[in-house]
Coordinates of all heavy atoms in Angstrom, one line a residue:
T1381 N -13.9 7.6 -16.8 CA -15.3 7.2 -17.1 C -15.7 8.0 -18.4 O -16.3 7.4 -19.3 CB -16.2 7.8 -15.9 OG1 -16.0 6.9 -14.8 CG2 -17.7 7.7 -16.3
K1382 N -15.3 9.2 -18.5 CA -15.7 10.0 -19.7 C -15.0 9.5 -21.0 O -15.6 9.3 -22.0 CB -15.3 11.5 -19.5 CG -15.6 12.4 -20.7 CD -15.2 13.8 -20.3 CE -15.5 14.8 -21.5 NZ -14.6 14.6 -22.6
A1383 N -13.7 9.2 -20.8 CA -13.0 8.8 -22.0 C -13.4 7.4 -22.5 O -13.6 7.1 -23.6 CB -11.5 8.7 -21.7
A1384 N -13.6 6.4 -21.6 CA -14.1 5.1 -21.9 C -15.5 5.1 -22.4 O -15.7 4.4 -23.4 CB -14.0 4.2 -20.6
S1385 N -16.4 5.9 -21.9 CA -17.7 6.0 -22.3 C -17.8 6.5 -23.8 O -18.6 5.9 -24.6 CB -18.6 6.8 -21.4 OG -18.6 6.2 -20.1
E1386 N -17.0 7.4 -24.1 CA -17.0 8.0 -25.5 C -16.5 6.9 -26.5 O -17.0 6.8 -27.6 CB -16.1 9.2 -25.5 CG -16.7 10.5 -24.9 CD -15.8 11.7 -24.8 OE1 -14.7 11.6 -25.3 OE2 -16.2 12.7 -24.4
L1387 N -15.5 6.2 -26.1 CA -15.0 5.1 -27.0 C -16.1 4.1 -27.2 O -16.3 3.5 -28.2 CB -13.7 4.6 -26.5 CG -13.0 3.4 -27.3 CD1 -12.9 3.8 -28.8 CD2 -11.7 3.0 -26.7
L1388 N -16.6 3.6 -26.0 CA -17.7 2.6 -26.1 C -18.8 3.0 -27.0 O -19.4 2.1 -27.7 CB -18.1 2.2 -24.7 CG -17.2 1.4 -23.8 CD1 -17.7 1.4 -22.4 CD2 -17.0 0.1 -24.3
D1389 N -19.2 4.3 -26.9 CA -20.3 4.8 -27.8 C -20.0 4.5 -29.3 O -20.8 4.2 -30.0 CB -20.5 6.2 -27.4 CG -21.7 6.8 -28.2 OD1 -22.8 6.5 -27.8 OD2 -21.6 7.6 -29.1
I1390 N -18.7 4.8 -29.7 CA -18.3 4.5 -31.0 C -18.5 3.1 -31.4 O -18.8 2.7 -32.5 CB -16.9 5.0 -31.2 CG1 -16.8 6.6 -31.2 CG2 -16.4 4.6 -32.7 CD1 -15.4 7.1 -31.2
M1391 N -18.2 2.3 -30.4 CA -18.2 0.8 -30.7 C -19.6 0.2 -30.5 O -19.8 -1.0 -30.7 CB -17.3 0.1 -29.6 CG -15.8 0.5 -29.8 SD -14.7 -0.3 -28.5 CE -14.7 -2.0 -29.2
G1392 N -20.6 1.0 -30.3 CA -22.0 0.5 -30.3 C -22.5 0.2 -28.9 O -23.7 -0.2 -28.7
Y1393 N -21.8 0.6 -27.9 CA -22.2 0.4 -26.5 C -22.7 1.8 -26.0 O -21.9 2.6 -25.5 CB -21.1 -0.1 -25.5 CG -20.7 -1.4 -26.0 CD1 -19.6 -1.6 -26.8 CD2 -21.2 -2.6 -25.5 CE1 -19.0 -2.9 -27.2 CE2 -20.7 -3.9 -25.8 CZ -19.6 -4.0 -26.7 OH -19.2 -5.2 -27.1
K1394 N -24.0 2.0 -26.2 CA -24.5 3.3 -25.9 C -24.9 3.5 -24.4 O -25.3 2.6 -23.7 CB -25.8 3.6 -26.7 CG -25.6 3.4 -28.2 CD -24.7 4.4 -28.7 CE -24.6 4.3 -30.2 NZ -23.6 5.2 -30.8
N1395 N -24.6 4.8 -23.9 CA -25.0 5.2 -22.6 C -24.4 4.3 -21.5 O -25.0 4.1 -20.4 CB -26.5 5.3 -22.4 CG -27.2 6.2 -23.5 OD1 -26.7 7.3 -23.7 ND2 -28.2 5.7 -24.1
E1396 N -23.2 3.8 -21.7 CA -22.6 3.0 -20.6 C -21.7 3.9 -19.7 O -21.0 4.7 -20.2 CB -21.7 1.9 -21.2 CG -22.4 0.9 -22.0 CD -23.1 -0.2 -21.0 OE1 -22.9 0.0 -19.8 OE2 -23.7 -1.1 -21.5
V1397 N -21.9 3.7 -18.4 CA -21.1 4.5 -17.4 C -20.1 3.6 -16.9 O -20.4 2.5 -16.4 CB -22.1 5.1 -16.3 CG1 -21.2 5.7 -15.3 CG2 -23.1 6.0 -16.9
T1398 N -18.9 4.0 -17.0 CA -17.8 3.1 -16.5 C -17.1 3.7 -15.2 O -17.3 4.9 -14.9 CB -16.6 3.0 -17.5 OG1 -16.0 4.3 -17.7 CG2 -17.2 2.5 -18.8
H1399 N -16.5 2.9 -14.5 CA -15.7 3.2 -13.3 C -14.5 2.4 -13.2 O -14.4 1.3 -13.8 CB -16.6 3.0 -12.0 CG -17.7 4.0 -12.0 ND1 -17.6 5.4 -11.7 CD2 -19.1 3.7 -12.1 CE1 -18.8 5.9 -11.7 NE2 -19.7 5.0 -11.9
S1400 N -13.5 2.8 -12.4 CA -12.4 1.9 -12.1 C -12.7 1.1 -10.9 O -13.4 1.5 -9.9 CB -11.2 2.8 -11.8 OG -11.4 3.7 -10.8
Y1401 N -12.2 -0.1 -10.9 CA -12.5 -1.1 -9.8 C -11.1 -1.6 -9.2 O -10.2 -1.6 -9.9 CB -13.3 -2.2 -10.3 CG -14.8 -1.8 -10.7 CD1 -15.0 -1.3 -12.0 CD2 -15.8 -1.8 -9.7 CE1 -16.3 -0.9 -12.3 CE2 -17.0 -1.4 -10.1 CZ -17.3 -0.9 -11.3 OH -18.6 -0.5 -11.6
L1402 N -11.3 -2.0 -8.0 CA -10.0 -2.4 -7.3 C -10.3 -3.5 -6.3 O -11.3 -3.5 -5.5 CB -9.4 -1.2 -6.5 CG -8.2 -1.5 -5.6 CD1 -7.0 -1.8 -6.5 CD2 -7.8 -0.2 -4.8
G1403 N -9.4 -4.5 -6.3 CA -9.3 -5.5 -5.2 C -7.9 -5.5 -4.7 O -7.0 -6.0 -5.4
W1404 N -7.7 -5.0 -3.5 CA -6.4 -5.0 -2.9 C -6.1 -6.3 -2.1 O -7.0 -6.9 -1.6 CB -6.2 -3.8 -2.1 CG -7.3 -3.4 -1.1 CD1 -8.3 -2.5 -1.5 CD2 -7.7 -4.0 0.1 NE1 -9.2 -2.4 -0.4 CE2 -8.9 -3.4 0.6 CE3 -7.2 -5.0 0.9 CZ2 -9.5 -3.7 1.7 CZ3 -7.8 -5.3 2.1 CH2 -9.0 -4.7 2.4
E1405 N -4.8 -6.6 -2.0 CA -4.4 -7.7 -1.1 C -3.4 -7.2 -0.1 O -2.3 -6.8 -0.5 CB -3.7 -8.8 -2.0 CG -4.6 -9.4 -3.1 CD -3.8 -10.3 -4.1 OE1 -2.8 -10.8 -3.6 OE2 -4.1 -10.3 -5.3
Q1406 N -3.8 -7.1 1.1 CA -3.1 -6.5 2.1 C -2.2 -7.5 2.9 O -2.7 -8.4 3.6 CB -3.9 -5.8 3.2 CG -3.2 -5.1 4.3 CD -2.5 -3.9 3.8 OE1 -3.1 -2.9 3.3 NE2 -1.2 -3.9 4.0
E1407 N -0.9 -7.4 2.7 CA 0.1 -8.2 3.5 C 0.5 -7.5 4.7 O 0.6 -6.3 4.7 CB 1.3 -8.6 2.6 CG 0.9 -9.5 1.4 CD 2.0 -9.8 0.4 OE1 3.1 -9.0 0.6 OE2 1.9 -10.7 -0.4
Y1408 N 0.8 -8.2 5.8 CA 1.3 -7.6 7.0 C 2.0 -8.5 7.9 O 1.9 -9.8 7.6 CB 0.1 -7.0 7.8 CG -1.0 -8.0 8.1 CD1 -0.9 -8.7 9.4 CD2 -2.0 -8.5 7.3 CE1 -1.9 -9.7 9.7 CE2 -2.9 -9.5 7.6 CZ -2.9 -10.0 8.8 OH -3.7 -11.0 9.2
F1409 N 2.8 -8.1 8.9 CA 3.4 -8.9 9.8 C 2.8 -8.7 11.2 O 2.2 -7.7 11.5 CB 4.9 -8.6 9.9 CG 5.8 -9.1 8.9 CD1 5.9 -8.5 7.6 CD2 6.5 -10.3 9.0 CE1 6.7 -9.0 6.6 CE2 7.4 -10.8 8.1 CZ 7.5 -10.1 6.9
L1410 N 2.8 -9.8 12.0 CA 2.4 -9.7 13.4 C 3.6 -10.0 14.3 O 4.3 -11.0 13.9 CB 1.3 -10.7 13.7 CG -0.1 -10.4 13.1 CD1 -1.1 -11.4 13.5 CD2 -0.7 -9.0 13.6
V1411 N 3.8 -9.3 15.3 CA 4.9 -9.5 16.3 C 4.2 -9.4 17.7 O 3.3 -8.7 17.9 CB 6.1 -8.6 16.2 CG1 6.8 -8.9 14.9 CG2 5.8 -7.2 16.4
D1412 N 4.7 -10.1 18.7 CA 4.3 -10.0 20.1 C 4.5 -8.6 20.5 O 5.6 -8.0 20.4 CB 5.0 -11.0 20.9 CG 4.6 -12.4 20.7 OD1 3.4 -12.6 20.5 OD2 5.5 -13.3 20.8
K1413 N 3.5 -8.0 21.2 CA 3.5 -6.7 21.6 C 4.7 -6.3 22.5 O 5.4 -5.3 22.4 CB 2.1 -6.4 22.2 CG 2.0 -4.8 22.7 CD 0.5 -4.6 23.0 CE 0.1 -5.5 24.2 NZ -1.3 -5.2 24.5
E1414 N 5.0 -7.2 23.6 CA 6.0 -6.9 24.5 C 7.5 -6.9 23.8 O 8.3 -6.1 24.2 CB 5.9 -7.8 25.7 CG 4.9 -7.5 26.7 CD 3.5 -7.9 26.2 OE1 3.4 -8.5 25.1 OE2 2.5 -7.7 26.9
L1415 N 7.6 -7.9 22.9 CA 8.9 -7.9 22.2 C 9.0 -6.7 21.3 O 10.1 -6.2 21.1 CB 8.9 -9.2 21.4 CG 8.9 -10.5 22.1 CD1 9.0 -11.7 21.2 CD2 10.0 -10.6 23.2
Y1416 N 7.9 -6.3 20.6 CA 7.9 -5.0 19.8 C 8.3 -3.9 20.7 O 9.2 -3.0 20.2 CB 6.5 -4.9 19.3 CG 6.3 -3.5 18.7 CD1 6.5 -3.3 17.3 CD2 5.7 -2.5 19.4 CE1 6.3 -2.0 16.7 CE2 5.4 -1.2 18.9 CZ 5.7 -1.1 17.4 OH 5.4 0.2 16.9
A1417 N 7.8 -3.8 21.9 CA 8.1 -2.7 22.8 C 9.7 -2.6 23.2 O 10.1 -1.6 23.5 CB 7.2 -2.7 24.0
A1418 N 10.2 -3.8 23.2 CA 11.6 -3.9 23.5 C 12.6 -3.7 22.4 O 13.8 -3.8 22.5 CB 12.0 -5.3 24.1
R1419 N 12.1 -3.3 21.2 CA 12.9 -2.9 20.0 C 12.5 -1.5 19.7 O 11.6 -1.2 19.0 CB 12.5 -3.9 18.9 CG 12.9 -5.3 19.0 CD 14.3 -5.6 18.7 NE 14.9 -5.0 17.6 CZ 15.8 -5.5 16.8 NH1 16.3 -6.8 17.1 NH2 16.4 -4.9 15.8
P1420 N 13.4 -0.5 20.2 CA 13.2 0.9 19.8 C 13.1 1.2 18.3 O 12.4 2.1 17.9 CB 14.4 1.6 20.4 CG 14.8 0.7 21.5 CD 14.6 -0.7 21.1
D1421 N 13.8 0.4 17.5 CA 13.8 0.5 16.1 C 12.4 0.2 15.5 O 11.9 0.9 14.6 CB 14.9 -0.3 15.4 CG 15.0 -1.7 15.8 OD1 14.2 -2.1 16.7 OD2 15.9 -2.4 15.2
L1422 N 11.9 -0.9 16.0 CA 10.5 -1.2 15.5 C 9.5 -0.1 16.0 O 8.6 0.2 15.1 CB 10.0 -2.6 16.1 CG 10.5 -3.8 15.3 CD1 10.0 -5.1 16.0 CD2 10.0 -3.8 13.8
V1423 N 9.6 0.3 17.2 CA 8.7 1.4 17.7 C 8.7 2.6 17.0 O 7.7 3.2 16.5 CB 8.9 1.6 19.2 CG1 8.1 2.7 19.7 CG2 8.6 0.4 20.0
L1424 N 9.9 3.1 16.6 CA 10.2 4.4 15.9 C 10.1 4.3 14.4 O 9.8 5.4 13.8 CB 11.5 5.0 16.5 CG 11.5 5.3 18.0 CD1 12.9 5.9 18.3 CD2 10.4 6.3 18.3
T1425 N 10.5 3.2 13.8 CA 10.6 3.2 12.3 C 9.9 2.0 11.7 O 9.7 2.0 10.5 CB 12.0 3.0 11.9 OG1 12.5 1.7 12.2 CG2 13.0 4.0 12.6
E1426 N 9.3 1.2 12.5 CA 8.5 0.0 12.1 C 9.3 -1.0 11.3 O 8.8 -1.9 10.7 CB 7.3 0.3 11.3 CG 6.1 -0.6 11.6 CD 4.8 -0.2 11.0 OE1 4.9 0.0 9.7 OE2 3.8 -0.2 11.6
R1427 N 10.7 -0.9 11.4 CA 11.5 -1.9 10.8 C 12.7 -2.2 11.7 O 13.1 -1.3 12.5 CB 12.0 -1.6 9.4 CG 13.2 -0.7 9.3 CD 13.5 -0.6 7.8 NE 14.7 0.3 7.6 CZ 15.9 -0.1 7.3 NH1 16.2 -1.4 7.2 NH2 16.9 0.7 7.0
T1428 N 13.3 -3.3 11.7 CA 14.5 -3.7 12.5 C 15.8 -3.1 11.8 O 16.1 -3.6 10.7 CB 14.7 -5.1 12.6 OG1 14.6 -5.8 11.4 CG2 13.5 -5.7 13.5
L1429 N 16.3 -2.1 12.3 CA 17.5 -1.5 11.8 C 18.7 -2.4 12.1 O 19.8 -2.2 11.4 CB 17.8 -0.1 12.3 CG 16.6 0.9 12.1 CD1 16.9 2.2 12.9 CD2 16.5 1.2 10.6
L1430 N 18.6 -3.3 13.0 CA 19.7 -4.2 13.4 C 19.0 -5.6 13.5 O 17.8 -5.7 13.7 CB 20.2 -3.8 14.8 CG 20.8 -2.4 14.9 CD1 21.1 -2.1 16.4 CD2 22.0 -2.1 14.0
G1431 N 19.9 -6.6 13.4 CA 19.4 -8.0 13.6 C 19.9 -8.9 12.6 O 19.8 -8.8 11.4
H1432 N 20.6 -9.9 13.1 CA 21.2 -11.0 12.3 C 20.1 -11.9 11.9 O 19.2 -12.2 12.6 CB 22.3 -11.7 13.0 CG 23.2 -12.5 12.0 ND1 22.8 -13.8 11.6 CD2 24.3 -12.2 11.4 CE1 23.7 -14.3 10.8 NE2 24.7 -13.3 10.6

Side-chain angles (χ1 to χ4, degrees):
T1381 291
K1382 179 177 180 294
S1385 297
E1386 288 178 356
L1387 178 54
L1388 286 171
D1389 187 72
I1390 292 174
M1391 299 178 71
Y1393 297 91
K1394 303 296 183 181
N1395 302 316
E1396 290 286 359
V1397 178
T1398 65
H1399 293 290
S1400 54
Y1401 292 89
L1402 174 65
W1404 40 262
E1405 304 169 28
Q1406 180 69 61
E1407 296 176 343
Y1408 60 96
F1409 281 84
L1410 291 175
V1411 295
D1412 287 324
K1413 183 167 58 177
E1414 282 78 3
L1415 298 180
Y1416 168 89
R1419 293 281 315 213
D1421 48 356
L1422 278 179
V1423 173
L1424 297 176
T1425 73
E1426 216 178 47
R1427 83 176 179 105
T1428 52
L1429 300 173
L1430 308 169
H1432 196 277

